[in-house]
Amino acid sequence: MKSWDPHIEEMPKSELHQMQYKLLKNLVNQLYSFSPFYHNRMKEQKVHPDDIRELSDVIKLPFMFKRDLRDSYPDKIFMASQEELVRYHVSSGTTGKPTVVGYTQNDLNNWTTSLARALTSVGLGRGDVMQVSYGYGLFTGGLGLHYGAEKIGATVIPTSVGNTERQIELMQDLRATAIACTPSYLLHMGEVAEKMGVSIKKDTKLRVGILGAEPWTERMRIRMEDWLGIKAYDIYGTSELSGPMFTECSEQKGFHVWSDLALVEIVDPKSGEQLEPGERGELTVTILQKEAMPMIRFRIGDITQLNDEVCGCGRAHPRVERIQGRVDDMLIIRGINVFPSQVEYALMAIPGVGQHFQIVVDRKGALDDMLVRVELNKESMSDKITDLMLVRETVEHKLRNALNVNVNVELVETGSLPRFEGKAKRVIDKRSL
Amino acid sequence: MDVKKYVIKQISVFSENRPGRLAAIAHALGEEKVNILAFSIAEANGFGVVRALVDQPDKAYKKLSSIGFNVAFTDVIAVRMEDRPGGLYEIAKMLGDANINIEYSYAYSGKEGAVLILRVDQVIDAIEKISKSGATLIESSVFH
Amino acid sequence: MFWDKKNETLKGEKLEALQLKRLKQTIRQSQKVEFYKKRLAENNIRPEDIKTLDDIQKIPFTRKQDLRDGYPFGFLAVPLKKVVRIHTTSGTTGKPTVVGYTRKDLDTWADLIARNMTMVGITDDDVFQNMVNYGMFTGGLGFHYGAEKIGMTVIPSATGNTKRQIETMKDFGVTTIHCTPSYAMHLSEVAEEMHVSLDSLKTGIFGAESWSETMRKSLENRLEITAYDSYGLSELFGPGVAFECPERNGLHIWHDVFLVEIINPQTGEQLGDGERGELVVTPLVKEAMPLLRYRIGDITMKIEDDCVCKRGQKIARITGRSDDMLVIRGINVFPSQIEHVLLKIPEVGNQFMVYVDRVNHLDEMTVDVEINRGYFSGELADLTRIQKKVVKELGDALDLRTTVKLVEPGSLPRFEGKAKRVIDQRGDKI
């Protein structure tokens, strides 16, 4: 086993648990004393730091939900002063306001360390050339992998997203050995490469794919590994946890969650009760060493299960299995999280169309395609096709701005979309992975 | 000259590009005993606009709106053409010479000969220019 | 305020001694590059022949075309293992120019940005919104690393979604922004429409395209900021090469890191202070990709050497180009790139006209192309498809959104001799 931090990565389980308990205890004490948000939450839950006497007492602590982050926009739960903050990232919220994550220098360092360990665990290092084809900017995928790869001394090509043909040329010409992107984008690249007469398997040096930000399957892994001649590793993380943080190791059997950085639980999404390893439920994470924006028992909304056995690679850090679904109606389109409520919210601000809508998600070639059907309004009716096309383009533009994802819009007749009483079913997802 | 009498009310109906939509419009107008005198369809990606000259535009508007269609009135003008080779050329050249920009147009050939229907930017201005050029405009009373 | 006072204020003999020492190192480093080894040998120059700074004139210029011919790794002086970053920049036709960085190069680069930002009073208390492209474009990651080095709070908002950018500025009390000057104009207008006043904003750093003093006044009034001009290019790390100090009459170029010459673009002869010509730079501390006498193509001049801030000799703001390169929204575009793209699309001809204008403060580029006779089917949808294809191909090649107009075959002007395919209508428009 090749490790970035041998001391921590090779620690036996009992020591890991000891360390986690110390970190948790320390975190709870800190937050109870200094964070009004967590102080109130713990009071409501009638739990005092003194009640945390062993690691399993974590179940006494209150949960935190995505809506809590939204309600505290932009920075009410931050625990760091402006001088200590060195970075903000922003991800989609459920409605108009996004979720904001702040970082201190230590937060960035821990995030980068987490990825340095992860990338090392799949055999990457100095001498590798990594193409980072995740979006750079406010999305955590690009800069996260960028810093991680730079840390381990790989050559980073910060291609970001888009312009697939150029990406393939650069992959070939700059001899990339690894790529970080969404699995569907890599499949798309494979297809585009073939059209260009390039075989990724034969004509490039690519050997590793770090693939995530959307769910994928073993079937896709087998296809990518055979077809593209690479080893494909799943990567996991959300911006609330800092960003992408955990990958599978060379065993490819679940993501190692570094015990010194995070404490994972699986809970019953309805009752909130903690479930046993092997039982399927909602992933809940406590980040143990986060300064700017601490996270205790954050309910991520992803459905999976835990594997607490020592891995074939020798690491005792627990593993989280592939994500198998969501507890809410969140969609992932080309790696970007989209909530139907965001679409609703955006449409309310557009006078030219009605507020009923339907989302149709499909996979065109390898890539997700999102269509939103909206009803044309009386006010925007015109006899001229060009006017109507402008209405459609305006809606497309505004939705793209709200969702950060490309959307096709179809204008339909007033009253033609289904109306719902009770729970609306506005999403038709035709994708099969 | 009373230019207003040459302004004709066209109805424009938004329609999805799927089978049966034109039938739905035509059926509704038939029920109301509204006669369609001329019509055209303009298509874009996924939707279209049905444009029609009808004998009772207000009635048509009311009926189509009541069953959920988006309908708009549009002012157009109608020019008579000679129903023979070169007829369209004469009119088109006249419009070009008069510097009238056509947004769209369609034509029909009826009992009284061929008629070109025009949607232009400046309706009143176009009516004046066309009548000066000697071409024959058709009054709206012929349709409505 | 200084980030590195000693080096920033180095002058006279001390500076020249350091420059000469570093020039010699750079020339030695360049000999690890096949191209330079051959270049110097062909001209009978041995590295040890360069004994004074003036001796640099013996060395031939390096042009953008040379870098392109070296694609992809021809100009790397270190093994790939030591390269931790690669950026690319648009070439004049198909293949891009590759720029490699060692860890030390990244550090040098971040230091230059830190110098610039500190020079205008930015500190670790500031909140910085970086509104340029990240990824292969050096503007984004360059400023990001520099600001991080200072310890500012960095919001890597990149480009697009102007309303959200403004909300972010307001919600996070942003004090400093970096973007193209034209985007800043657009931003100020959208903020006005949204009735948002950006009270926390103090400083604007604008670069990647040339802008006028009128534009500066307008930006400063509208956004209530102080606006600074920033200059750089990927071949010389990226942004950070030269920057205005609070005096704002010319840009301080960092003489301990860059050896500056101004030449007559026709004859290649060195020009004196106050004489306008083409900027030629020899970077003095680059490890991964040393360059000797790199001809940048930008027109400027050296101005008098007595800035009250005590830093070294300044260059004037860039006033033009010595070639036909266009800068559209901060992106370099060569007409030859457009030609190259059109050659690959059978549905349209190879003749084209480019119209550049400024609409609502943003550069707009329209390309007129002729549709090829055989591809007109009568279906509107087909024309739309062809138009979209050309837009996409141009977008991919230029990294720029363009408007494409399909025109009738034979309707565009044909040129004998030098083609004049670009009509730039921007003038002094803000």
Side-chain angles (χ1 to χ4, degrees):
Chain A
M1 154 167 87
K2 234 187 132 193
S3 303
W4 177 257
D5 277 333
H7 170 63
I8 294 210
E9 290 180 53
E10 293 163 23
M11 215 177 247
K13 197 168 286 290
S14 58
E15 280 178 47
L16 286 176
H17 284 170
Q18 257 176 357
M19 178 171 55
Q20 282 192 305
Y21 170 67
K22 275 186 205 154
L23 289 165
L24 179 69
K25 182 84 185 171
N26 184 31
L27 178 70
V28 170
N29 277 329
Q30 278 269 329
L31 294 184
Y32 192 78
S33 307
F34 299 113
S35 160
F37 174 86
Y38 279 105
H39 184 88
N40 291 340
R41 272 294 165 90
M42 284 190 242
K43 279 225 148 143
E44 280 165 29
Q45 190 89 355
K46 297 194 174 59
V47 55
H48 188 270
D50 293 346
D51 300 332
I52 307 300
R53 292 189 204 94
E54 53 185 31
L55 193 55
S56 58
D57 286 335
V58 68
I59 56 168
K60 296 176 182 166
L61 295 167
F63 289 116
M64 172 138 187
F65 295 90
K66 199 166 168 83
R67 60 170 180 270
D68 295 322
L69 298 175
R70 186 194 61 204
D71 293 345
S72 63
Y73 179 89
D75 56 3
K76 287 192 204 95
I77 55 164
F78 286 176
M79 292 276 290
S81 66
Q82 194 64 68
E83 296 93 271
E84 292 168 307
L85 286 177
V86 296
R87 178 91 62 81
Y88 285 122
H89 280 284
V90 176
S91 70
S92 40
T94 46
T95 57
K97 286 288 178 190
T99 301
V100 176
V101 187
Y103 304 73
T104 63
Q105 188 60 52
N106 278 337
D107 291 339
L108 287 187
N109 294 348
N110 282 333
W111 179 18
T112 304
T113 297
S114 182
L115 281 173
R117 290 181 194 166
L119 297 177
T120 306
S121 80
V122 302
L124 293 173
R126 230 170 105 100
D128 277 298
V129 178
M130 179 178 274
Q131 183 164 352
V132 179
S133 305
Y134 279 123
Y136 277 66
L138 292 175
F139 175 65
T140 49
L143 285 169
L145 266 305
H146 179 98
Y147 276 65
E150 192 169 290
K151 182 97 183 173
I152 61 169
T155 309
V156 179
I157 319 174
T159 47
S160 196
V161 289
N163 208 339
T164 308
E165 289 183 17
R166 166 131 10 122
Q167 297 241 11
I168 291 160
E169 276 175 24
L170 291 178
M171 177 192 288
Q172 208 179 356
D173 296 341
L174 306 182
R175 294 164 214 162
T177 59
I179 186 164
C181 61
T182 62
S184 54
Y185 189 63
L186 186 60
L187 283 170
H188 178 67
M189 280 180 122
E191 283 166 13
V192 174
E194 282 190 353
K195 274 187 207 148
M196 293 163 66
V198 174
S199 155
I200 289 184
K201 188 175 192 166
K202 295 200 188 90
D203 304 328
T204 76
K205 301 249 178 267
L206 202 69
R207 60 180 189 86
V208 169
I210 303 292
L211 310 171
E214 65 187 18
W216 51 298
T217 59
E218 281 306 306
R219 227 184 55 187
M220 281 167 82
R221 164 137 57 205
I222 292 164
R223 169 157 167 69
M224 282 188 280
E225 294 195 339
D226 279 358
W227 179 37
L228 306 175
I230 59 164
K231 279 283 187 188
Y233 299 98
D234 204 351
I235 181 167
Y236 182 75
T238 71
S239 60
E240 295 90 345
L241 309 182
S242 279
M245 286 187 86
F246 310 116
T247 68
E248 299 172 319
C249 65
S250 47
E251 299 286 311
Q252 296 180 310
K253 284 182 183 144
F255 324 99
H256 280 285
V257 178
W258 309 115
S259 295
D260 57 325
L261 300 176
L263 174 62
V264 281
E265 302 168 73
I266 303 292
V267 304
D268 181 317
K270 298 244 179 2
S271 69
E273 245 170 83
Q274 197 185 60
L275 301 176
E276 292 293 313
E279 288 185 307
R280 190 182 282 210
E282 182 178 354
L283 183 62
T284 301
V285 178
T286 302
I287 299 285
L288 294 166
Q289 302 190 43
K290 215 154 177 268
E291 294 179 340
M293 202 170 113
M295 285 282 176
I296 288 190
R297 302 195 87 198
F298 179 58
R299 300 272 295 257
I300 296 182
D302 285 324
I303 304 280
T304 180
Q305 58 204 31
L306 205 63
N307 182 347
D308 207 20
E309 284 163 30
V310 174
C311 178
C313 73
R315 290 177 181 86
H317 298 254
R319 281 165 290 158
V320 168
E321 309 226 321
R322 275 175 182 288
I323 304 307
Q324 290 141 15
R326 290 283 306 172
V327 297
D328 55 18
D329 57 0
M330 187 183 90
L331 293 162
I332 302 180
I333 312 285
R334 297 186 182 205
I336 306 285
N337 299 348
V338 173
F339 292 92
S341 49
Q342 285 175 283
V343 175
E344 187 165 5
Y345 191 84
L347 290 179
M348 284 192 320
I350 309 175
V353 293
Q355 278 155 36
H356 292 281
F357 64 95
Q358 189 173 51
I359 298 173
V360 184
V361 189
D362 205 348
R363 195 151 273 188
K364 282 209 177 133
L367 294 181
D368 296 336
D369 187 75
M370 178 168 158
L371 175 77
V372 177
R373 294 200 172 107
V374 289
E375 295 178 355
L376 185 77
N377 250 359
K378 219 174 176 50
E379 296 84 70
S380 53
M381 174 58 196
S382 164
D383 62 313
K384 284 199 273 176
I385 292 284
T386 43
D387 290 347
L388 296 169
M389 282 166 85
L390 191 68
V391 172
R392 190 180 60 193
E393 278 165 26
T394 306
V395 180
E396 280 180 353
H397 179 75
K398 296 214 166 159
L399 284 178
R400 185 171 61 233
N401 275 349
L403 309 177
N404 282 319
V405 78
N406 261 327
V407 175
N408 289 314
V409 164
E410 193 175 293
L411 294 180
V412 301
E413 293 167 20
T414 312
S416 67
L417 291 176
R419 265 64 175 164
F420 298 95
E421 287 177 30
K423 197 167 161 52
K425 221 192 127 16
R426 302 198 192 280
V427 179
I428 301 174
D429 198 336
K430 297 180 175 168
R431 290 175 294 186
S432 58
L433 302 181
Chain B
M1 180 177 76
D2 175 16
V3 292
K4 292 242 170 67
K5 68 182 179 190
Y6 297 112
V7 179
I8 300 160
K9 240 184 200 176
Q10 169 193 280
I11 58 164
S12 311
V13 188
F14 177 79
S15 156
E16 289 167 35
N17 245 350
R18 57 188 165 92
R21 297 318 289 155
L22 180 59
I25 295 169
H27 179 72
L29 294 180
E31 264 186 344
E32 290 294 300
K33 307 255 177 318
V34 172
N35 193 20
I36 303 170
L37 304 162
F39 89 95
S40 82
I41 301 177
E43 101 293 352
N45 224 346
F47 64 82
V49 176
V50 176
R51 301 155 179 159
L53 292 190
V54 296
D55 58 351
Q56 302 168 83
D58 293 316
K59 208 169 169 190
Y61 183 97
K62 223 175 119 197
K63 173 68 181 175
L64 291 170
S65 299
S66 76
I67 57 171
F69 279 103
N70 277 314
V71 195
F73 282 135
T74 313
D75 290 341
V76 294
I77 49 183
V79 190
R80 192 175 303 287
M81 307 186 276
E82 293 294 325
D83 196 357
R84 58 167 171 76
L88 176 61
Y89 167 71
E90 283 158 23
I91 296 293
K93 182 170 185 312
M94 179 273 292
L95 294 169
D97 290 347
N99 205 16
I100 294 170
N101 190 30
I102 305 171
E103 305 260 359
Y104 57 78
S105 96
Y106 49 104
Y108 72 93
S109 190
K111 278 173 288 199
E112 341 69 58
V115 176
L116 188 65
I117 295 154
L118 301 169
R119 161 77 151 100
V120 294
D121 249 351
Q122 308 287 336
V123 178
I124 302 299
D125 186 47
I127 289 173
E128 280 166 357
K129 281 179 179 161
I130 292 170
S131 36
K132 257 187 222 142
S133 77
T136 318
L137 284 156
I138 302 175
E139 292 179 20
S140 62
S141 59
V142 173
F143 299 98
H144 309 326
Chain C
M1 280 201 299
F2 292 90
W3 178 257
D4 178 358
K5 187 165 185 182
K6 183 172 152 266
N7 282 313
E8 289 179 45
T9 54
L10 213 53
K11 284 189 184 176
E13 281 175 16
K14 275 187 185 163
L15 174 65
E16 282 170 23
L18 179 70
Q19 284 181 324
L20 183 61
K21 189 180 124 203
R22 289 182 167 175
L23 175 64
K24 286 177 178 171
Q25 277 166 3
T26 297
I27 290 170
R28 276 199 302 277
Q29 181 77 348
S30 78
Q31 294 311 289
K32 298 174 188 164
V33 176
E34 203 47 46
F35 171 87
Y36 282 121
K37 212 172 152 186
K38 245 175 90 189
R39 244 310 152 84
L40 264 53
E42 279 166 8
N43 289 274
N44 297 319
I45 305 164
R46 290 168 307 159
E48 51 276 25
D49 294 340
I50 308 300
K51 295 193 180 78
T52 68
L53 288 175
D54 282 337
D55 287 339
I56 195 173
Q57 291 178 74
K58 296 177 183 165
I59 300 172
F61 296 113
T62 307
R63 292 163 194 273
K64 197 169 175 70
Q65 180 68 35
D66 297 324
L67 298 188
R68 221 197 74 202
D69 294 342
Y71 182 87
F73 294 134
F75 276 80
L76 287 188
V78 298
L80 200 53
K81 230 183 191 172
K82 287 201 71 183
V83 175
V84 295
R85 177 87 62 78
I86 291 173
H87 280 282
T88 60
T89 165
S90 53
T92 44
T93 56
K95 292 281 181 190
T97 300
V98 173
V99 187
Y101 303 75
T102 62
R103 211 178 274 282
K104 182 165 162 267
D105 287 334
L106 287 187
D107 215 42
T108 308
W109 185 18
D111 259 324
L112 292 180
I113 301 278
R115 280 188 195 185
N116 294 332
M117 293 179 101
T118 307
M119 173 163 70
V120 298
I122 301 167
T123 70
D124 59 350
D125 284 343
D126 282 295
V127 183
F128 174 57
Q129 189 160 333
N130 197 13
M131 296 184 284
V132 295
N133 251 318
Y134 276 65
M136 300 307 265
F137 177 63
T138 48
L141 285 167
F143 266 92
H144 183 95
Y145 273 60
E148 197 162 77
K149 189 148 203 171
I150 293 179
M152 305 169 72
T153 311
V154 182
I155 307 177
S157 61
T159 51
N161 208 341
T162 307
K163 280 191 181 159
R164 182 165 300 170
Q165 301 264 18
I166 290 165
E167 280 169 15
T168 308
M169 283 160 82
K170 190 171 139 57
D171 294 344
F172 295 96
V174 168
T175 62
T176 310
I177 56 172
H178 170 226
C179 58
T180 62
S182 49
Y183 187 68
M185 271 315 281
H186 177 66
L187 196 81
S188 71
E189 228 176 44
V190 177
E192 265 168 40
E193 278 166 27
M194 291 166 70
H195 304 291
V196 171
S197 76
L198 301 165
D199 301 326
S200 57
L201 211 57
K202 290 184 307 194
T203 308
I205 297 168
F206 305 120
E209 58 190 28
S210 58
W211 49 300
S212 62
E213 287 301 320
T214 327
M215 183 99 156
R216 168 153 28 215
K217 280 207 189 78
S218 185
L219 283 170
E220 294 194 334
N221 284 333
R222 298 179 75 117
L223 291 167
E224 295 180 48
I225 52 165
T226 313
Y228 297 96
D229 194 1
S230 159
Y231 179 75
L233 57 152
S234 301
E235 296 91 321
L236 308 181
F237 299 118
V241 175
F243 206 89
E244 287 179 325
C245 67
E247 298 297 310
R248 294 183 296 152
N249 54 356
L251 293 89
H252 286 288
I253 188 160
W254 304 109
H255 297 284
D256 57 321
V257 176
F258 301 109
L259 189 62
V260 179
E261 300 169 77
I262 304 289
I263 61 153
N264 177 326
Q266 262 85 52
T267 63
E269 267 166 52
Q270 274 191 1
L271 299 175
D273 293 2
E275 291 183 295
R276 239 174 241 288
E278 185 180 342
L279 181 62
V280 172
V281 171
T282 304
L284 296 172
V285 291
K286 255 173 136 229
E287 273 189 346
M289 207 171 115
L291 293 172
L292 302 179
R293 302 192 88 197
Y294 185 58
R295 282 187 70 156
I296 296 174
D298 285 325
I299 302 291
T300 180
M301 61 181 175
K302 290 189 197 171
I303 52 186
E304 79 280 14
D305 185 10
D306 58 353
C307 189
V308 294
C309 81
K310 300 201 168 53
R311 292 178 182 85
Q313 187 171 27
K314 289 185 275 200
I315 54 168
R317 303 182 70 190
I318 306 303
T319 49
R321 292 282 307 172
S322 61
D323 57 17
D324 59 359
M325 188 180 90
L326 292 161
V327 182
I328 314 283
R329 296 183 179 208
I331 296 179
N332 299 347
V333 175
F334 292 91
S336 51
Q337 286 175 286
I338 298 172
E339 189 162 8
H340 194 78
V341 170
L342 297 180
L343 279 170
K344 291 191 300 188
I345 310 175
E347 291 94 332
V348 297
N350 303 331
Q351 300 291 331
F352 65 95
M353 282 299 289
V354 179
Y355 296 89
V356 187
D357 204 350
R358 194 156 279 165
V359 182
N360 293 328
H361 318 301
L362 292 180
D363 293 341
E364 293 290 344
M365 185 165 114
T366 305
V367 182
D368 284 7
V369 287
E370 296 176 353
I371 181 153
N372 266 346
R373 249 170 250 285
Y375 287 91
F376 180 65
S377 66
E379 294 288 330
L380 205 61
D382 277 349
L383 293 176
T384 314
R385 188 185 53 75
I386 294 172
Q387 189 191 25
K388 279 195 174 154
K389 181 173 178 183
V390 181
V391 169
K392 182 185 176 295
E393 296 284 332
L394 283 175
D396 283 353
L398 309 177
D399 285 323
L400 196 69
R401 188 178 43 75
T402 56
T403 304
V404 168
K405 264 172 70 189
L406 296 180
V407 302
E408 291 168 26
S411 66
L412 292 176
R414 266 61 179 165
F415 298 93
E416 286 176 29
K418 194 164 165 51
K420 215 189 133 18
R421 300 195 190 281
V422 179
I423 297 185
D424 195 334
Q425 295 158 318
R426 286 175 292 186
D428 276 340
K429 277 185 207 166
I430 292 181

